[in-house]
Amino acid sequence: MTEFKNTERELHNFRMRITAAVVFVLFCFSLLIARFVWLQIVRHDVYAAQAEENRISLVPVVPNRGLILDRNGVVLARNYSAYTLEITRSKINGKLEDVIDDLSKLVTIEPKDRRRFKKLMDDSKSFASLPIRTRLTDEEVAKFTVQRYRFPGVDVQARLFREYPLGDVAAHVIGYIGRISQKDAAAIDDGDDAANYKGTDYIGKEGLEKSYESQLHGTTGYEEIEISASGRAVRTLSRTSAIPGNNLILSIDIELQKIVQKAFGDHRGALVAIDPATGDILAYVSQPSYDLNLFVDGIDQQSWNELLESPDHPLINRPMNGAYPPGSTYKPFMALAGLELGKRTPQQTIRDQGFFMLGGHRFRDDKVGGHGIVDMFKAIVESCDTYFYMLANDLGVDPIHDFMKPFGFGQLTGIDLEHERTGLLPSTAWKRSAFKTAARQKWQGGDTISLGIGQGFNAFTPLQIAHATATLVNNGIVMKPHLVKIIEDGVTHKHTVTVPKESFRIPLKQENIDFVKRAMVAVTHEGTAARVFAGAGYESGGKTGTAQVFTIKQNEKYNQHAVGERFRDHALYTAFAPVDKPRIAIAVIVENGGFGAAAAAPIARKALDYYLLGKRPGDTDKPSVVLPGADEQDAEDVKPDPSEDRTYKPGAETAGNRE
């Protein structure tokens, strides 16, 4: 049977398929047209802006950091440009150590570079570009550039670097900069100046570099750069120049600073020298010091551990963070308190038998048998402990506290460095708040006696002692001590003085100030410092002092040859000169130096000789500090040093000062 095709049915099916295909095609084209409309019309402005951003890159221009100079224009911190080899960990292929090993075949990478890089990685985010080598030579740059294609995530960058030409001189003043850590970045983001740190890798970490960061940093500029589809720069469209940071002109005389640092030799201590009339800090020495340049590229772990674990604590800023009993350098202020508060006259005398008794407790004088008949003048010149025991007992702790406070003892001086320590000026209120038990909160009579000779609970920084001395010889006019004398505008070079006027005046009788100063002058002629200042070409005043490190029992006698070096007394000296119109006031402490006249006063003499006469110690001169050797075998029964944290603990009230 023959089957006939249904032509009409097939034609109908064909037409339906064609119609469906046309509808599908039209639908697809409709979607395509709708998408074009959405992209080209509705979202035109958005994508046009994105396209422009892809074509134009905004690149920050890091400003030149301001310079730091001493009062005579000597550069203490400056900038220079150099190439660095940098690694971005998130972009490298393979293991980091393998990449560094391959790089070391092209560029010298020492073990200390690897240690420093590891420390930087611990402190930075994973996507940060970190230097594995700095200060590349032109030859090293050329070698790497040829092989750059082998090292994705590694590149050579031109960077500005900070340099400290004098290394460890005035390190605790200048401070240093370092790479911005995650903690620093978080603080910047939370602040109002985040945009100004775009492209910046470094920030002030310590010293003036930190406290004047806002002045030194400058203002970041920007460049609009046209880039190709491959990301290569084509041309610069516009430029907003960076504004350099301001320069800091310090009050420090760096030559004086060098002389004093050298005078300390290998011994620990601090010296602060101030111009009483202005508050300018002329020298600020903390010994031992450290090389600031170690920190610029990021200090390696080994070097950091050496500084951190050193028994000499070179990182401690002793002038403002070390708190010591002032010893006999406190006596001129006690004498002035006695005069001003009406407890003594210059003519009143006592009979010193070599001790002072209070409640059955014997407080010994430094001189066996005593000083005999003693008035206030002799008490200062010969440093008679018994006289000041009695004076402290008559004054009382709270009147002493109230009188000493305006001089800056136990107070923040306001110096332009961060983290200044307050020290301790004791009072009955302080003791009640400092101790928990009622028995320890009660102020004892013996507590007051030891204050009279600068011992007991007294604990002041060398900066406070120098500041107080400057205020005394400036007739009670208080000038804020400062390290930055002038801020110089980085563009206009306009000068702004940081401390233009006095802070306040302490109401004191001029005749009382003059009397105390005359007695301090006599110290250098017939007193404890006479030998050190013999033949000086200027008239100066001063006061020696020693500060006990551990308690001597009533029946024991101090013998510095029988104790280890770390347990010997601290040696102190305060000075001012010239007498008629003082231009410099000094406080110096030599830790475990023994006697003030033997260890501290010679350093002050060298400082005064240079500053007043321009006299420099000869290259063949013997060290200023000559300390006897330690007899370690007799030190095992001595109590541990209670001032290990740089704060003296009370309990040395049974023995007088030993000068």
Side-chain angles (χ1 to χ4, degrees):
M1 184 178 187
T2 304
E3 183 179 351
F4 294 96
K5 292 184 180 180
N6 189 337
T7 307
E8 289 294 329
R9 183 178 179 82
E10 290 182 358
L11 184 61
H12 174 76
N13 290 339
F14 175 75
R15 288 172 178 169
M16 289 297 294
R17 287 195 291 270
I18 290 296
T19 301
V22 170
V23 170
F24 178 75
V25 171
L26 289 175
F27 176 75
C28 291
F29 271 100
S30 298
L31 291 177
L32 186 60
I33 292 170
R35 184 61 178 167
F36 277 129
V37 170
W38 173 258
L39 294 175
Q40 298 293 333
I41 300 176
V42 178
R43 302 284 290 174
H44 174 271
D45 294 339
V46 174
Y47 292 111
Q50 289 184 4
E52 186 68 15
E53 289 176 0
N54 289 333
R55 186 179 70 88
I56 298 174
S57 177
L58 204 60
V59 179
V61 179
V62 179
N64 279 329
R65 193 171 180 86
L67 305 179
I68 300 178
L69 308 95
D70 89 328
R71 66 188 298 116
N72 299 312
V74 177
V75 177
L76 308 179
R78 63 190 178 195
N79 309 303
Y80 70 95
S81 59
Y83 289 107
T84 66
L85 185 63
E86 302 188 3
I87 299 175
T88 305
R89 286 175 290 167
S90 60
K91 296 181 179 180
I92 63 173
N93 295 330
K95 294 182 179 180
L96 177 61
E97 286 299 323
D98 293 340
V99 172
I100 295 176
D101 289 340
D102 290 340
L103 285 172
S104 65
K105 299 174 183 177
L106 300 175
V107 175
T108 301
I109 298 177
E110 299 180 356
K112 66 177 182 179
D113 297 319
R114 294 174 184 256
R115 293 194 299 267
R116 185 183 65 246
F117 184 76
K118 184 179 184 302
K119 189 172 188 302
L120 288 174
M121 285 195 301
D122 294 337
D123 296 337
S124 304
K125 296 179 180 179
S126 60
F127 55 80
S129 176
L130 302 175
I132 183 67
R133 255 293 309 279
T134 59
R135 294 185 285 272
L136 298 175
T137 65
D138 291 340
E139 182 180 355
E140 288 175 322
V141 172
K143 283 183 178 179
F144 173 77
T145 302
V146 173
Q147 300 291 325
R148 183 181 180 280
Y149 69 93
R150 295 173 47 207
F151 300 97
V154 184
D155 208 346
V156 170
Q157 300 286 349
R159 301 285 188 186
L160 280 174
F161 286 91
R162 198 68 158 170
E163 183 182 33
Y164 304 102
L166 301 183
D168 68 343
V169 178
H172 296 85
V173 173
I174 301 167
Y176 56 85
I177 66 170
R179 292 188 69 87
I180 295 176
S181 65
Q182 294 186 40
K183 183 179 179 181
D184 295 327
I188 291 171
D189 291 339
D190 292 339
D192 299 328
D193 206 24
N196 198 33
Y197 279 84
K198 297 295 184 183
T200 301
D201 295 321
Y202 295 88
I203 195 170
K205 295 284 190 176
E206 290 291 341
L208 295 176
E209 291 276 27
K210 182 177 182 181
S211 57
Y212 282 85
E213 170 65 25
S214 61
Q215 295 285 347
L216 290 165
H217 177 68
T219 303
T220 299
Y222 291 93
E223 283 185 344
E224 282 190 339
I225 298 177
E226 183 179 356
I227 58 176
S228 65
S230 62
R232 179 171 297 182
V234 176
R235 57 175 176 156
T236 300
L237 301 177
S238 66
R239 178 184 177 90
T240 301
S241 298
I243 300 174
N246 295 331
N247 301 323
L248 303 183
I249 300 176
L250 308 189
S251 57
I252 294 287
D253 184 327
I254 205 63
E255 291 302 315
L256 175 63
Q257 182 87 11
K258 290 179 184 177
I259 287 170
V260 173
Q261 285 194 211
K262 185 177 180 181
F264 270 94
D266 295 330
H267 302 290
R268 304 172 303 281
L271 178 143
V272 178
I274 301 178
D275 183 339
T278 62
D280 288 356
I281 295 180
L282 306 171
Y284 184 101
V285 174
S286 182
Q287 283 293 102
S289 188
Y290 59 92
D291 187 354
L292 293 171
N293 295 297
L294 289 172
F295 291 87
V296 175
D297 299 334
I299 189 169
D300 65 90
Q301 193 63 49
Q302 180 179 334
S303 298
W304 173 247
N305 289 340
E306 289 174 0
L307 290 175
L308 204 61
E309 297 170 4
S310 169
D312 293 332
H313 306 294
L315 296 177
I316 291 180
N317 190 327
R318 285 171 165 82
M320 74 171 193
N321 292 137
Y324 311 85
S328 292
T329 62
Y330 203 48
K331 291 176 180 176
F333 298 93
M334 287 294 299
L336 186 60
L339 295 173
E340 288 289 327
L341 300 179
K343 295 295 184 179
R344 291 289 187 277
T345 65
Q347 296 77 28
Q348 283 181 275
T349 61
I350 65 159
R351 179 179 293 276
D352 174 21
Q353 299 177 355
F355 60 88
F356 173 69
M357 296 296 297
L358 180 71
H361 193 87
R362 180 186 294 248
F363 292 85
R364 294 179 299 178
D365 198 285
D366 66 306
K367 185 176 181 181
V368 178
H371 295 262
I373 302 299
V374 180
D375 61 9
M376 183 177 285
F377 190 87
K378 183 178 179 180
I380 296 174
V381 174
E382 296 187 9
S383 200
C384 174
D385 289 336
T386 303
Y387 183 95
F388 289 99
Y389 289 148
M390 294 181 177
L391 176 57
N393 189 53
D394 291 343
L395 284 170
V397 59
D398 287 333
I400 293 174
H401 171 276
D402 295 343
F403 182 81
M404 299 299 179
K405 184 176 179 180
F407 284 91
F409 288 113
Q411 315 300 312
L412 296 177
T413 66
I415 189 174
D416 41 354
L417 289 175
E418 295 185 3
H419 311 303
E420 180 186 3
R421 192 172 185 173
T422 58
L424 175 58
L425 179 63
S427 66
T428 54
W430 163 79
K431 196 172 186 184
R432 284 195 300 270
S433 64
F435 296 98
K436 295 181 180 179
T437 63
R440 299 191 68 187
Q441 289 176 341
K442 184 180 178 181
W443 189 269
Q444 304 294 334
D447 294 338
T448 303
I449 303 307
S450 58
L451 299 182
I453 61 169
Q455 295 284 172
F457 290 110
N458 285 325
F460 310 132
T461 67
L463 174 62
Q464 290 171 350
I465 299 173
H467 175 49
T469 303
T471 299
L472 171 64
V473 303
N474 200 32
N475 302 322
I477 301 174
V478 179
M479 299 297 299
K480 180 181 176 181
H482 52 276
L483 292 159
V484 176
K485 184 178 181 66
I486 293 169
I487 297 176
E488 181 184 63
D489 190 284
V491 177
T492 65
H493 302 293
K494 178 183 177 181
H495 285 188
T496 302
V497 178
T498 57
V499 181
K501 60 182 181 179
E502 66 190 57
S503 298
F504 60 91
R505 297 190 179 204
I506 304 173
L508 301 169
K509 294 179 181 179
Q510 190 61 47
E511 60 267 27
N512 292 336
I513 296 175
D514 292 341
F515 172 82
V516 171
K517 288 197 286 188
R518 285 198 301 273
M520 294 178 73
V521 172
V523 169
T524 66
H525 287 280
E526 54 189 282
T528 52
R531 180 177 297 180
V532 176
F533 283 89
Y538 48 84
E539 194 80 281
S540 72
K543 186 70 190 79
T544 54
T546 58
Q548 290 176 245
V549 169
F550 67 95
T551 304
I552 297 294
K553 297 179 181 178
Q554 290 198 47
N555 297 322
E556 288 183 345
K557 185 176 180 181
Y558 174 75
N559 181 359
Q560 71 172 10
H561 298 284
V563 298
E565 189 264 344
R566 299 276 173 169
F567 302 111
R568 294 175 185 163
D569 292 342
H570 299 320
L572 298 98
Y573 191 73
T574 57
F576 66 94
V579 172
D580 54 347
K581 191 175 181 181
R583 293 166 46 203
I584 182 172
I586 292 175
V588 56
I589 181 169
V590 179
E591 291 181 9
N592 310 116
F595 305 125
I603 297 178
R605 170 70 190 266
K606 287 180 180 290
L608 294 175
D609 282 355
Y610 172 76
Y611 192 72
L612 298 176
L613 304 177
K615 180 181 177 182
R616 297 172 181 270
D619 294 338
T620 58
D621 283 356
K622 294 181 180 180
S624 296
V625 184
V626 181
L627 304 179
D631 188 353
E632 300 294 343
Q633 64 183 9
D634 293 329
E636 58 187 28
D637 294 328
V638 179
K639 291 171 61 178
D641 185 354
S643 60
E644 188 62 31
D645 65 347
R646 308 299 151 199
T647 302
Y648 179 80
K649 303 298 189 297
E653 68 273 13
T654 57
N657 284 331
R658 305 178 283 273
E659 299 185 55

